[in-house]
Amino acid sequence: MLNKRIKIVLLSILLAMVILLFGIHMAAKPYLENALEKKIPNHINLAYSNVEVNLLTGSVVFTTPSIRVSKENQHGGELAIDLEAIHINDIGYWNLIFSQKLDIAELVLVEPRISFEKSNQVIAKDVKNVQLLKTISTASIRIENGSLGVSWMNGKRKILLESLSVEITDAETNPNLINTKTPFTFSSIEYNFKNLTGDFNKYEELSIDEIQFFNHEFNIQGLSLNTLLSKAELSKRIGYERDHVNLQIPHLQVETPQFYYKGDSLQVIMPKMNIEGLALDIFRDKSLPDDTSYKPLYAKTLKDLPFKLTLDTITMSDGLIVYEEEVKNKIVAGQLRFEDVNGQIKNVSNMYSQQEDLEISLASNLMGKGKLELNWAFNVHSPEQRFLASGSLLNFETSRLNDFLEPNLRIRTEGNIQNLYFTIDGDEHTAVGDVKMRYHDFKFRVLKRDKLRVNKLFTFIGNLFIDDGSKADENGYRYGKIDVQRHQNKSFFNYLWISLQDGMLDVLSGNGKKEIE
């Protein structure tokens, strides 16, 4: 009789627990909906077609949720996220009840379509903080097959990407962290996406076939930066000289990059970057007026970046750089080709703790023949923007430059530069240096304005002052000095060119002797 009563009591307790659990389960959904309605800030709107709560498995599923964050938030824009579903799996009830912490085993965002429209103005009083009462942690956050679109300047500029997949492990946020620039911590992140397109500026578009971040390494496939307009159309649209750019990088690799905020400053640290197969074509229409705006040297440009950057080493291999200039009434643009470009760039940094010079060492074949080397160093924090450049050109037939020299300088050359070495010491305003050359039978012809016929008078007078290379020292070298003023409305490479040009002219037309110091 007693055993029967015990069984009845146990059965009653079990039945009561089932009824209680069923009641809690039935009440969980309206409780969650009510809590979301009360706790979510006014500038964040959450909508969904359905929500399912399963207390036994500790899971919550939102069907076709939609999230809207108004422009009255700390990001200064309007954020919209539309999803197929949100899965919250294996909620830890024990910590939720007894330690004021929400533990989630897995958060899955299924096919999110994310768009962000940046406001032109951000008003400080519009900033709203998210009021978070508990610490929230999750072992895994996954984004499956998402897409992202960012626009600004009233939709005139955009960035779009597709097939976004992300996995974040051991993520956590808390009431203090949620409103900072980095609102959560995590132990690792992996992601990949495809078909990124975006406006680099008013005239150029950036596109990337695929980016993968795995095992602390970026791999970028099919990067390109191209001027949107054709060469002819760009010349019609602008009122001054501007480069028409076509850049292709088949593969770019970045090892162990780090991104974080220190105060309000974004810090970017990259130990090593490898660039393979770069192909850069730069075209400039010289019939247009010069852009007379100030052009800072690269030290100032790097120093003035809106974020802090440290990149220890950039390695470049198998590159091709083509520079073209077109002048009025010339059917084909003059062209300079730098083939088989290889080299390294070290100590790229605008951190004040970095006191080492930025060093660039590049080697290439000029016009596919002459071996050209350039070494260039400068300190980013130098007030005078001082730099030191040196290099060499070996075994070069000067007639290979005629396609470039004839339309631009109305000069045709012949002869062989066997060895050319130069050193340039310069700053923001002036450059001095030395050039030594060993050459053979160097001559030039000045062309008439039609660039077809030789101006015999100017050619004769000019060659009277040019040494053909026969009057050299015992090693076959003639020497020249560099002393030039920088044109501050032109680029560093123009500065480098006029410095080298000044030294070569001094070699060819001066006494050719090395000065005794």
Side-chain angles (χ1 to χ4, degrees):
M1 190 70 177
L2 183 61
N3 289 339
K4 186 177 180 180
R5 288 179 179 177
I6 293 174
K7 290 180 180 180
I8 292 173
V9 171
L10 292 175
L11 185 61
S12 299
I13 293 173
L14 181 61
L15 182 61
M17 291 179 64
V18 171
I19 294 172
L20 179 63
L21 186 61
F22 181 75
I24 294 173
H25 181 78
M26 294 299 294
K29 179 178 177 179
Y31 175 81
L32 176 62
E33 292 177 322
N34 183 60
L36 289 172
E37 184 176 348
K38 289 182 178 180
K39 298 298 183 182
I40 293 178
N42 293 332
H43 67 284
I44 299 177
N45 178 266
L46 171 65
Y48 46 86
S49 60
N50 188 37
V51 59
E52 293 292 337
V53 181
N54 190 321
L55 293 181
L56 294 177
T57 61
S59 65
V60 179
V61 179
F62 292 91
T63 305
T64 61
S66 173
I67 302 169
R68 297 290 184 273
V69 183
S70 74
K71 61 184 177 181
E72 301 169 337
N73 68 86
Q74 66 267 36
H75 299 291
E78 188 164 347
L79 176 67
I81 307 175
D82 295 299
L83 307 97
E84 289 301 309
I86 297 177
H87 295 270
I88 304 173
N89 298 325
D90 197 7
I91 299 172
Y93 295 124
W94 183 267
N95 285 337
L96 181 62
I97 296 171
F98 294 104
S99 66
Q100 293 296 298
K101 182 179 180 182
L102 176 58
D103 286 327
I104 300 169
E106 186 179 52
L107 172 63
V108 183
L109 309 180
V110 182
E111 296 187 25
R113 297 172 297 281
I114 307 167
S115 63
F116 179 71
E117 183 176 355
K118 184 172 176 59
S119 299
N120 293 330
Q121 286 185 317
V122 181
I123 304 174
K125 69 179 182 179
D126 286 338
V127 173
K128 299 288 191 301
N129 288 333
V130 176
Q131 302 299 318
L132 193 64
L133 301 179
K134 298 178 176 64
T135 295
I136 301 175
S137 67
T138 176
S140 174
I141 299 176
R142 293 206 327 269
I143 296 176
E144 298 179 348
N145 195 27
S147 63
L148 172 67
V150 179
S151 63
W152 64 101
M153 293 184 64
N154 297 321
K156 294 179 181 178
R157 304 282 179 84
K158 293 181 180 180
I159 296 175
L160 304 172
L161 61 87
E162 303 172 354
S163 303
L164 172 65
S165 297
V166 181
E167 183 165 0
I168 303 171
T169 59
D170 300 325
E172 183 173 294
T173 188
N174 57 53
N176 296 323
L177 194 61
I178 189 67
N179 291 300
T180 63
K181 289 184 178 293
T182 308
F184 61 92
T185 61
F186 56 90
S187 63
S188 68
I189 181 170
E190 296 177 355
Y191 56 87
N192 70 277
F193 56 82
K194 297 180 179 180
N195 301 328
L196 180 149
T197 57
D199 298 317
F200 188 76
N201 54 40
K202 183 178 179 181
Y203 295 102
E204 274 76 47
E205 179 182 68
L206 174 70
S207 67
I208 297 174
D209 292 342
E210 184 173 8
I211 287 184
Q212 295 178 330
F213 182 70
F214 181 72
N215 283 340
H216 307 287
E217 183 177 284
F218 267 122
N219 277 285
I220 301 175
Q221 308 291 338
L223 182 151
S224 65
L225 177 66
N226 298 308
T227 301
L228 293 168
L229 303 173
S230 68
K231 296 173 182 178
E233 189 63 29
L234 180 66
S235 295
K236 292 178 182 178
R237 293 279 188 93
I238 59 178
Y240 52 86
E241 288 184 12
R242 191 181 196 283
D243 290 337
H244 185 283
V245 178
N246 185 341
L247 169 66
Q248 308 289 329
I249 301 179
H251 184 211
L252 187 151
Q253 180 188 54
V254 181
E255 297 180 7
T256 59
Q258 299 177 49
F259 304 89
Y260 61 92
Y261 278 93
K262 187 175 182 180
D264 289 333
S265 176
L266 174 63
Q267 315 278 310
V268 180
I269 298 176
M270 301 180 186
K272 191 173 183 180
M273 177 185 293
N274 298 313
I275 301 173
E276 298 177 8
L278 175 147
L280 174 61
D281 191 320
I282 301 173
F283 170 86
R284 177 162 287 210
D285 186 348
K286 298 296 289 184
S287 66
L288 296 172
D290 286 341
D291 176 6
T292 57
S293 61
Y294 169 71
K295 308 296 190 304
L297 297 182
Y298 287 104
K300 179 174 173 55
T301 300
L302 183 57
K303 184 178 179 180
D304 292 346
L305 286 176
F307 57 90
K308 295 300 181 183
L309 171 68
T310 293
L311 209 170
D312 293 339
T313 304
I314 302 173
T315 301
M316 183 184 299
S317 58
D318 301 321
L320 170 65
I321 299 174
V322 179
Y323 177 73
E324 299 178 273
E325 282 189 357
E326 184 173 76
V327 296
K328 192 174 182 179
N329 300 325
K330 183 70 170 64
I331 298 175
V332 180
Q335 187 181 96
L336 289 176
R337 294 177 62 86
F338 303 88
E339 301 178 8
D340 299 321
V341 180
N342 295 275
Q344 283 192 337
I345 305 174
K346 295 182 177 180
N347 307 323
V348 181
S349 178
N350 58 3
M351 301 275 197
Y352 282 102
S353 59
Q354 172 62 271
Q355 294 301 315
E356 293 183 87
D357 286 352
L358 189 156
E359 299 177 356
I360 300 170
S361 299
L362 297 174
S364 68
N365 291 326
L366 176 60
M367 308 301 287
K369 181 64 177 178
K371 185 170 180 57
L372 176 67
E373 293 188 359
L374 172 65
N375 300 295
W376 168 26
F378 58 87
N379 193 291
V380 172
H381 304 294
S382 168
E384 301 85 11
Q385 302 184 61
R386 293 192 63 84
F387 68 90
L388 182 66
S390 63
S392 62
L393 176 62
L394 308 179
N395 299 320
F396 185 66
E397 188 67 38
T398 61
S399 61
R400 290 178 177 270
L401 288 177
N402 284 336
D403 285 344
F404 183 81
L405 296 175
E406 288 179 12
N408 294 287
L409 300 179
R410 290 168 50 205
I411 292 174
R412 184 182 298 157
T413 65
E414 61 181 65
N416 181 266
I417 296 177
Q418 296 163 316
N419 304 85
L420 182 151
Y421 300 94
F422 65 90
T423 301
I424 304 170
D425 185 357
D427 59 21
E428 169 73 358
H429 303 288
T430 61
V432 295
D434 301 284
V435 173
K436 73 173 185 177
M437 289 176 61
R438 184 167 64 184
Y439 58 96
H440 176 67
D441 199 25
F442 189 92
K443 295 179 181 178
F444 76 92
R445 293 179 175 84
V446 179
L447 304 182
K448 292 188 176 181
R449 292 189 180 276
D450 60 11
K451 303 182 181 66
L452 298 176
R453 293 172 295 165
V454 174
N455 189 318
K456 295 181 180 180
L457 176 61
F458 283 176
T459 298
F460 174 74
I461 294 174
N463 281 314
L464 287 178
F465 297 96
I466 295 297
D467 189 280
D468 63 3
S470 60
K471 298 178 182 179
D473 68 6
E474 65 275 11
N475 295 315
Y477 286 101
R478 287 177 56 83
Y479 299 83
K481 304 296 289 186
I482 296 170
D483 189 355
V484 298
Q485 298 285 325
R486 182 192 172 214
H487 303 305
Q488 296 196 353
N489 63 340
K490 295 185 181 295
S491 70
F492 169 79
F493 291 103
N494 173 268
Y495 197 12
L496 187 67
W497 166 247
I498 64 173
S499 299
L500 185 56
Q501 183 184 50
D502 185 71
M504 291 177 66
L505 286 175
D506 195 40
V507 169
L508 295 170
S509 60
N511 62 29
K513 295 181 179 179
K514 184 176 182 180
E515 294 185 5
I516 305 298
E517 297 182 358

